[in-house]
Amino acid sequence: QPGLRELDHVVGQRGQVLSTFEQGRGRVFIDGKDWAAETDEAIPAISQEVVVVAVAGAILKVRKIPA
């Protein structure tokens, strides 16, 4: 799909959780935008800081940043 390689620039960026994650999926605010995201960790809380570790299609894979 054209355009999705542009998302590679968000890997390594930090952002905040916007909505409660359900079944590993939720919304995050990164790079000035609202993104769909998923994680395989414990569910991050709203406003918790996360970092992008990968991009799968248009979904960001995120990980919590240890406090």
Side-chain angles (χ1 to χ4, degrees):
Q1 291 178 332
L4 291 181
R5 284 211 58 75
E6 299 165 22
L7 298 182
D8 288 348
H9 77 278
V10 299
V11 174
Q13 291 202 33
R14 294 177 174 213
Q16 284 191 312
V17 175
L18 287 177
S19 67
T20 304
F21 274 58
E22 292 184 24
Q23 297 174 336
R25 293 191 167 212
R27 307 291 300 181
V28 296
F29 188 77
I30 290 172
D31 192 32
K33 299 183 190 82
D34 175 350
W35 300 90
E38 62 184 27
T39 185
D40 52 14
E41 296 185 327
I43 305 307
I46 290 175
S47 81
Q48 181 158 14
E49 198 174 17
V50 293
V51 62
V52 180
V53 294
V55 178
I59 298 173
L60 306 184
K61 297 202 177 258
V62 299
R63 188 170 289 156
K64 287 189 289 190
I65 296 173

